Amino acid sequence: MDFNNPAALETLSQWFLQSLSPSPEPRRAAESSLSAAADHPGFPIALLRLVAGSSIDQQICLAAAVHFKNLVRSRWSPSDTDRPVIPQPEKDQIKSLLLPLMLSSPSPLVRSQLSESLSLIASHDFPQSWPSLLPDIVSTLRSSTDYSAINGLLAAANSIFLKFRHSFDTPALRLDLKYCLDLFAAPLLEIFLKTSSLISTTISGNGQPESLRAPFESQRLCCEIFLSLNFIDLPEFFEDHMREWMSEFLVYLTKTYPPALEADGSADALRAAVCENLQFYMEKNEEEFKDYLKDFASAVWNLLITPATSPFRDQLTITAIRFLTKVSTSVHHSLFSSSQALQEICQSIVFPNVRLRDEDEELFEMNYVEYIRRDIEGSDIDTRRRIACELLKGLALNYKEQVTALVSMQIQNMLALYAANPGENWKEKDSAIYLVVSLATKGSTGHLVDVDSFFATVIVPELQGQDVNASSMLKAGALKFFTTFREQIPKQASMALLPDVIRFLAAESNVVHSYAANCIEKLLLVKDKVPAPASGLTAVHSHARYGPSDIDPLLPSLLTNLFNALQFPDSQENQYVMRCIMRVVGVATVVGEAAAVCMARLAFVLGEVCKNPKNPIFNHYLFEAIAALIARSCEKDQSLISLFEGNLFPVLQNILVNDITEFWPYAFQIFAQLVETSKPPLSGSYMQLFQVLLSLESWKRSANVPALVRLLQAYLQKMPTELNREGRLSQVLAIFNKLVMSPSTEELGFFVLNTVVENLGSDVLAPYIGHIWSALFTRLQIRRNVKKFVNSLIIFMSLVLVKHGPGVLVDSVNAVQPNIFVTILQQFWIPNVKLISGVIEVKLASIASTRLLCESPSLLDPSAAELWGKLLDSIITLLAQPEEFRENVENEPPVVPETEGYSASFARLHNAGKKEEDPLKEIRDPKEFLVSSLARLSAASPGRYRASIEKFVDPQNQSALIQLCGAYNCTIV
């Protein structure tokens, strides 16, 4: 495509327009076309032309700007991509166009995207490969009087300097910082003071306040840059000019500005940025800052108790309280030591900010997802309520008794006001619950109130209320309390309330039924520690507090209410409800009709979300729930398999046929689970899928590859005899070859290979083994120093040995090149086998190495005495690893990252995971196998191996070997 042609730009415009379509077909077609166009020369420049086009629809401009940013992110640096990188001449052209285009764009949204693009490019090229950028910014900044342009320049500088906040501190980063400070610190102070003077002159001269909005924004950006340039260390320039900066900061915190600037948030946005700098200086530069502290603490305090209606007052309140919190935990906490100061902070700052506001109620009703995100997902650190509680915690570090007394009295007053008039004063009870929950410290017993008493008198009445739709915010608070203190509330009390929590799944409020689902799900994760039998003190393991016997009696109402909750408006894709369904079917005994109904409903939900996948977190838990139901139910009742297949096959095939790409990895994992669960012979549907699986075309999408490997392993295990027909084994090995040649998939290639070796006899494998070794050794020449590849190779060779014997391994390797096995052993096996980890892997590698040591003629030859001794040394080192380094991590369900959309990466289904099989079940203890094998070998040739042990085995390992022989009553003679 020739992007210099106006027709090509018109085509691009249409593709961008179609990419915004709500209909999946035109949207996917446009996305595919844009993806293909990205490989053509001139594409990024064409995107910038679209962005610059004055006559082009702003939607298209913005879409092109976003696409340009993503293109820069994925194709600017060779280390970020396997795809073609933007050519250098185009990069140079982009760098010459980007800053002027950003300054001239009329759209703030487009400017923001271009600013991000500039920042991405700068992260790779600035300053070494883009030396003109900062001088250009400074020169234009000093000569410009147009604050629209000035703010664009400051925004660009701000985006560049953010790396000093977000990158690791390295000598190279400090060199970049020095370069930026030398060029920009003085101009930054110049523009800051110049703008301050302009603001003062305009206000004193009764100028138009509206004209000051851009200067206020300029000052806010200067404050942002101030923070970035100070972030690593206090620079000498800023220390020398601290009084100038701090004097201006204090002016903005103490001066009242014209109503127009106060009302629209211009002043508060600037004050919030100032407070962020003050908080940072308290944290990093307390000694240099201490002379200014008292004035700033007083100014911030007065700001917080001054009423205001600015839309930025929330952000200002949060940053201001955060500053006071930092002061309260510092050596200067005595500023707040008096009883009057503590009481005034609590009564004038903390308690008013803990109260529910109208906007909180509106969020609760209108945007439950955002309300929950703030309230229980941990993002409420940036809300007034949470930050006020953080200030209380800070004060309590040094004044615990006084703060506890003040808060306890406040909670009692709130509850008394509620009791006097529950209808009018329900917010008082809500605030009391919020205070107790927010000030709870994980693992702490020193709570502000007696939790058991508060639970019984304040929380239980709410949970037992018969009308699930009454006082919704109080019900949500009570459920949150129950969830927070679930480990401290006795099991008997929790079980008594569980039917009530299940009732709340039927509440019309999205928040309430979400909190009910979240509460049940979190209860099912509670574990109790089991003490060691000997001492009765040390916990050695834990077990789930709630099991099938607790949940099964409640299962019918629980599952009914959970699935019904998905019918409520805006809750059709409620991730908390689906996560609860996943947890319930993973714990309860779901069999028979209940299992059939549950799968039918899950399949229906999946069919609905396939029409337009929107919520990746909900969809992940949906597939996890399906996988959990298959795993738990089919194990207990084989008759369910055909029922499940009947429900799932149509929707899974729909995913593949209609190319719902984000669901392909999930579908393949579910198919793998079904293949493993089914009994041979497999049905025609499975065999059709097997043929698709063996086609290399299916393996082109990188996100699908781990799931396809998982599915291929399932087929290889279930139907090994089918492999030797119709050239299928050749197709499988072609897949292995493709996978092992790429660093990103080579480990998956070994998974395929290991499964082939585990399930096929040596006679079937013999015609292909030479090709396998050649491919692996060719790859080894390139990846010789990569631990993961070498370890995978050792595991594979060990598997060949234990399945087919040392002779097959050694002879087949040497058939590639005479005596190459000894070289492999010397250079790779012996140095790396001691680094193997994982219970099954350690056992496999140690037993294979022991068999080599005691059965292979090439090692038993007297000329190989040194090799023999060094291999034994590595085996002992491997087996001497502490148990905690060898045990596999417990398979807890992974946390699903919250993302705005789907990433191209693979998402593993925990509940559909492949069960690790021990290929050496008949050998219980690899340590015993080693010493008994050595004892038999030495008995056959007394004294022959002692010299090799003494000469080539580390003295510490010799001692370990003697101890092992004693432990297993074996003798090496």
Side-chain angles (χ1 to χ4, degrees):
M1 183 178 284
D2 179 8
F3 290 112
N4 293 316
N5 187 333
L9 287 183
E10 179 58 33
T11 302
L12 271 182
S13 298
Q14 291 307 308
W15 286 345
F16 278 117
L17 205 55
Q18 289 161 10
S19 73
L20 303 172
S21 170
S23 302
E25 292 82 7
R27 186 176 70 244
R28 288 198 182 106
E31 287 168 354
S32 177
S33 298
L34 288 167
S35 178
D39 292 332
H40 287 77
F43 180 67
I45 306 299
L47 293 179
L48 290 181
R49 285 191 185 127
L50 275 184
V51 173
S54 56
S55 60
I56 292 173
D57 186 311
Q58 281 303 298
Q59 270 191 310
I60 296 172
C61 282
L62 181 58
V66 171
H67 201 86
F68 176 78
K69 177 190 72 179
N70 292 333
L71 190 76
V72 165
R73 179 180 280 119
S74 64
R75 297 199 184 207
W76 194 270
S77 168
S79 61
D80 294 343
T81 182
D82 293 330
R83 292 172 290 184
V85 177
I86 298 170
Q88 191 58 48
E90 289 186 32
K91 286 184 176 183
D92 295 338
Q93 196 175 352
I94 287 167
K95 286 190 270 195
S96 68
L97 292 171
L98 196 51
L99 187 62
L101 181 55
M102 191 182 80
L103 294 176
S104 63
S105 175
S107 165
L109 292 173
V110 170
R111 283 202 302 272
S112 172
Q113 294 300 322
L114 294 177
S115 179
E116 282 189 56
S117 302
L118 188 145
S119 178
L120 286 166
I121 295 170
S123 69
H124 292 291
D125 288 13
F126 177 81
Q128 286 82 5
S129 300
W130 201 356
S132 63
L133 177 60
L134 203 52
D136 285 350
I137 290 175
V138 170
S139 170
T140 315
L141 194 61
R142 281 178 160 153
S143 62
S144 181
T145 56
D146 175 8
Y147 270 89
S148 176
I150 288 171
N151 289 349
L153 293 161
L154 289 172
N158 185 38
S159 68
I160 296 166
F161 299 151
L162 283 174
K163 75 173 184 177
F164 300 123
R165 300 195 211 179
H166 302 145
S167 302
F168 287 112
D169 183 6
T170 63
L173 189 72
R174 285 179 177 256
L175 276 175
D176 287 354
L177 176 59
K178 183 181 184 307
Y179 171 83
C180 295
L181 286 166
D182 290 345
L183 279 175
F184 206 80
L188 180 68
L189 181 57
E190 284 172 28
I191 192 68
F192 190 66
L193 295 176
K194 171 184 159 186
T195 308
S196 287
S197 175
L198 172 68
I199 291 170
S200 298
T201 304
T202 304
I203 290 172
S204 60
N206 294 318
Q208 290 295 318
E210 291 77 7
S211 67
L212 291 178
R213 287 196 180 103
F216 265 86
E217 173 64 7
S218 172
Q219 297 299 73
R220 188 193 68 77
L221 287 167
C222 286
C223 288
E224 292 272 343
I225 294 169
F226 177 94
L227 182 58
S228 295
L229 294 180
N230 279 269
F231 203 82
I232 293 176
D233 261 336
L234 177 59
E236 185 180 345
F237 180 88
F238 285 95
E239 187 172 5
D240 292 345
H241 295 86
M242 191 181 293
R243 185 159 300 281
E244 291 157 89
W245 281 103
M246 296 303 155
S247 299
E248 293 302 323
F249 285 170
L250 191 61
V251 167
Y252 291 124
L253 295 183
T254 53
K255 190 172 179 61
T256 302
Y257 291 98
L261 293 171
E262 294 287 356
D264 72 1
S266 298
D268 277 353
L270 173 55
R271 290 174 184 138
V274 168
C275 286
E276 193 171 1
N277 285 329
L278 301 182
Q279 190 263 333
F280 177 80
Y281 260 52
M282 265 303 299
E283 190 173 316
K284 288 286 187 73
N285 307 310
E286 189 176 336
E287 181 62 28
E288 294 85 355
F289 182 65
K290 65 183 180 183
D291 293 342
Y292 306 95
L293 180 57
K294 189 173 182 181
D295 287 342
F296 277 120
S298 174
V300 169
W301 187 319
N302 286 327
L303 259 182
L304 286 169
I305 60 177
T306 304
T309 57
S310 154
F312 276 85
R313 184 51 60 130
D314 270 6
Q315 187 57 34
L316 172 58
T317 300
I318 290 161
T319 53
I321 292 178
R322 194 176 282 137
F323 167 66
L324 292 185
T325 302
K326 194 66 196 174
V327 176
S328 75
T329 59
S330 73
V331 294
H332 306 285
H333 60 77
S334 57
L335 286 170
F336 307 139
S337 62
S338 70
S339 299
Q340 183 182 351
L342 288 170
Q343 182 159 3
E344 191 171 340
I345 288 174
C346 288
Q347 294 297 336
S348 301
I349 297 174
V350 175
F351 299 145
N353 281 297
V354 167
R355 282 184 60 83
L356 272 176
R357 293 175 300 149
D358 291 345
E359 44 265 54
D360 297 320
E361 291 184 74
E362 185 178 337
L363 199 64
F364 184 94
E365 296 293 340
M366 305 302 294
N367 188 350
Y368 85 94
V369 174
E370 179 60 20
Y371 182 89
I372 294 173
R373 192 182 71 82
R374 291 185 182 184
D375 195 41
I376 66 171
E377 292 289 355
S379 67
D380 64 334
I381 193 65
D382 286 329
T383 64
R384 287 186 178 210
R385 296 189 102 185
R386 169 61 78 86
I387 206 68
C389 290
E390 292 300 313
L391 176 55
L392 272 183
K393 289 179 184 178
L395 293 168
L397 283 176
N398 295 294
Y399 309 104
K400 185 172 182 178
E401 290 183 10
Q402 299 97 307
V403 170
T404 301
L406 286 166
V407 175
S408 298
M409 187 182 301
Q410 180 68 18
I411 289 171
Q412 290 170 20
N413 291 341
M414 287 170 169
L415 294 176
L417 284 169
Y418 170 76
N421 190 341
E424 287 292 321
N425 297 334
W426 66 269
K427 288 184 182 179
E428 300 295 331
K429 183 174 183 178
D430 175 86
S431 297
I433 294 171
Y434 187 88
L435 273 171
V436 176
V437 170
S438 297
L439 296 175
T441 306
K442 187 172 176 61
S444 169
T445 54
H447 300 298
L448 294 170
V449 297
D450 182 315
V451 170
D452 292 338
S453 171
F454 192 89
F455 183 68
T457 58
V458 178
I459 302 302
V460 170
E462 289 297 335
L463 296 179
Q464 291 179 335
Q466 291 307 298
D467 185 355
V468 296
N469 295 315
S471 306
S472 293
M473 295 196 85
L474 282 181
K475 297 291 190 291
L479 287 164
K480 183 183 175 186
F481 184 98
F482 190 6
T483 307
T484 302
F485 294 101
R486 62 191 178 276
E487 293 185 359
Q488 292 155 256
I489 295 166
K491 180 176 179 178
Q492 187 177 356
S494 295
M495 286 302 303
L497 283 169
L498 199 50
D500 291 305
V501 179
I502 292 171
R503 283 190 306 111
F504 282 109
L505 291 168
E508 292 172 4
S509 164
N510 297 92
V511 175
V512 172
H513 61 244
S514 298
Y515 277 23
N518 185 62
C519 180
I520 295 164
E521 193 261 335
K522 292 292 188 286
L523 277 174
L524 295 182
L525 286 174
V526 173
K527 292 186 176 181
D528 292 320
K529 291 180 178 178
V530 179
S535 65
L537 296 173
T538 307
V540 290
H541 69 281
S542 58
H543 71 88
R545 183 180 294 180
Y546 304 94
S549 60
D550 302 306
I551 302 303
D552 289 353
L554 302 168
L555 194 60
S557 61
L558 178 52
L559 284 177
T560 298
N561 283 13
L562 280 167
F563 280 110
N564 287 347
L566 294 175
Q567 307 301 312
F568 284 112
D570 298 326
S571 264
Q572 289 91 343
E573 296 184 24
N574 187 314
Q575 65 202 50
Y576 306 98
V577 173
M578 187 50 70
R579 189 168 64 191
C580 186
I581 293 172
M582 174 200 73
R583 196 74 63 207
V584 168
V585 299
V587 172
T589 311
V590 190
V591 291
E593 187 181 348
V597 170
C598 189
M599 182 58 79
R601 297 198 72 166
L602 287 170
F604 173 78
V605 173
L606 178 55
E608 290 300 301
V609 299
C610 280
K611 294 173 183 176
N612 187 16
K614 298 191 295 288
N615 184 342
I617 303 167
F618 173 85
N619 296 333
H620 185 90
Y621 288 128
L622 169 58
F623 281 102
E624 285 283 15
I626 291 169
L629 190 56
I630 294 170
R632 297 263 307 163
S633 301
C634 293
E635 190 178 306
K636 295 181 174 66
D637 186 354
Q638 287 282 309
S639 67
L640 288 169
I641 296 172
S642 59
L643 273 172
F644 286 4
E645 288 174 348
N647 283 307
L648 288 171
F649 266 37
V651 68
L652 293 177
Q653 286 169 342
N654 174 50
I655 288 168
L656 300 183
V657 170
N658 291 321
D659 200 22
I660 305 171
T661 52
E662 52 267 65
F663 285 174
W664 275 38
Y666 291 128
F668 290 135
Q669 290 175 85
I670 298 296
F671 272 127
Q673 207 181 3
L674 290 171
V675 168
E676 286 176 342
T677 308
S678 301
K679 289 183 176 177
L682 298 179
S683 69
S685 297
Y686 285 119
M687 295 311 296
Q688 279 182 318
L689 180 62
F690 189 38
Q691 286 306 119
V692 173
L693 177 64
L694 292 179
S695 163
L696 286 174
E697 188 69 26
S698 303
W699 296 76
K700 286 189 174 178
R701 289 178 181 153
S702 59
N704 295 339
V705 171
L708 287 169
V709 168
R710 169 85 180 85
L711 178 55
L712 183 55
Q713 287 179 294
Y715 275 110
L716 296 177
Q717 286 177 310
K718 188 60 67 172
M719 40 182 283
T721 54
E722 299 288 327
L723 267 185
N724 213 21
R725 298 179 191 166
E726 301 171 16
R728 287 174 182 150
L729 184 52
S730 295
Q731 290 176 285
V732 170
L733 292 177
I735 290 167
F736 143 73
N737 207 47
K738 174 181 168 64
L739 295 176
V740 87
M741 286 301 142
S742 168
S744 61
T745 58
E746 63 191 10
E747 191 175 24
L748 296 171
F750 277 108
F751 291 171
V752 172
L753 209 49
N754 292 346
T755 312
V756 168
V757 169
E758 283 183 85
N759 292 282
L760 294 181
S762 57
D763 55 330
V764 178
L765 207 55
Y768 303 95
I769 194 71
H771 157 76
I772 292 170
W773 292 131
S774 294
L776 290 175
F777 296 157
T778 301
R779 188 76 183 140
L780 183 61
Q781 288 179 317
I782 304 167
R783 305 281 287 166
R784 61 187 299 121
N785 295 320
V786 178
K787 177 188 166 187
K788 184 180 276 190
F789 181 86
V790 174
N791 286 2
S792 295
L793 178 62
I794 293 170
I795 293 296
F796 171 66
M797 296 177 84
S798 299
L799 200 55
V800 172
L801 187 149
V802 301
K803 284 291 178 183
H804 306 301
V808 170
L809 173 66
V810 175
D811 292 345
S812 64
V813 168
N814 283 336
V816 177
Q817 184 181 317
N819 298 319
I820 194 176
F821 183 78
V822 170
T823 306
I824 297 287
L825 199 63
Q826 227 167 9
Q827 295 185 12
F828 300 103
W829 191 308
I830 291 173
N832 289 284
V833 71
K834 53 193 170 191
L835 305 175
I836 301 288
S837 59
V839 175
I840 292 173
E841 290 83 355
V842 167
K843 181 180 179 183
L844 174 62
S846 64
I847 289 171
S849 300
T850 300
R851 289 191 62 184
L852 266 181
L853 201 68
C854 300
E855 299 176 33
S856 174
S858 57
L859 275 163
L860 294 174
D861 190 281
S863 63
E866 181 177 352
L867 208 58
W868 190 95
K870 288 182 175 178
L871 178 57
L872 175 59
D873 186 66
S874 285
I875 298 170
I876 298 169
T877 303
L878 174 66
L879 291 173
Q881 287 181 15
E883 290 295 322
E884 59 265 30
F885 292 113
R886 289 202 264 139
E887 287 185 7
N888 294 321
V889 178
E890 186 180 355
N891 277 329
E892 286 292 345
V895 175
V896 183
E898 296 221 16
T899 54
E900 290 299 319
Y902 290 92
S903 69
S905 60
F906 166 72
R908 184 178 74 87
L909 289 176
H910 165 77
N911 291 310
K914 183 178 182 293
K915 291 178 182 175
E916 290 298 322
E917 294 288 336
D918 183 356
L920 294 162
K921 295 187 186 75
E922 69 279 5
I923 299 174
R924 187 183 62 83
D925 186 348
K927 292 178 182 177
E928 183 181 14
F929 184 80
L930 172 66
V931 292
S932 61
S933 298
L934 287 172
R936 283 194 300 272
L937 185 68
S938 68
S941 305
R944 177 175 164 186
Y945 299 98
R946 185 170 289 280
S948 291
I949 293 172
E950 290 173 355
K951 190 171 182 182
F952 300 113
V953 176
D954 181 88
Q956 191 173 344
N957 281 345
Q958 290 182 39
S959 300
L961 182 60
I962 292 167
Q963 289 176 356
L964 283 175
C965 287
Y968 293 103
N969 198 25
C970 294
T971 306
I972 299 173
V973 293

